[in-house]
Amino acid sequence: MIVANYLASAALFCLGLYTLLTRRNMIKMVMGLSLMEGSTYLLFVSLAYRARSTAPVLVNPPDGESPAQLAHGNVADPVLQNFCLTAIVIGVAVTGVFLAVVVRVVQHYRTLDSDAVREMRG
């Protein structure tokens, strides 16, 4: 199952990269970047997964297990999960900035085509 997550992450990244490299519409380019970001989130969550693990913070341990047993590696990695949540917040902010830049470019040049904008620069 975890291999499927890695393959899905690689496929999403490649799809985003393909979109970024082949599309000239700036909105679609931002969407390709967002796909690439999403693939990294999936990769981080997949790297943090451990089979038959428990949550890293427990008020009471499950029946039959002591807190000492849980501390010996049978917990999910919270660092990558926290990093992923932070990356999502930063990614949303960056995407908002990209879209704001696209809006300003469209207002100035009256086109979404990045090649046309490059030609108009002079």
Side-chain angles (χ1 to χ4, degrees), residues 6 17 26 29 74 78 80-81 90 108 115 121:
Y6 295 149
L17 185 63
M26 288 185 281
M29 293 170 77
N74 195 19
L80 286 173
Q81 294 173 1
I90 293 170
H108 187 266
D115 287 338
R121 274 184 49 192

Side-chain angles (χ1 to χ4, degrees), residues 12-13 30-44 87-88 90-95 98:
L12 274 176
F13 188 86
V30 171
M31 290 172 59
L33 285 171
S34 294
L35 273 176
M36 292 169 69
E37 286 178 26
S39 72
T40 59
Y41 307 150
L42 178 60
L43 180 65
F44 287 152
I88 289 171
I90 293 170
V92 166
V94 168
T95 301
F98 283 160

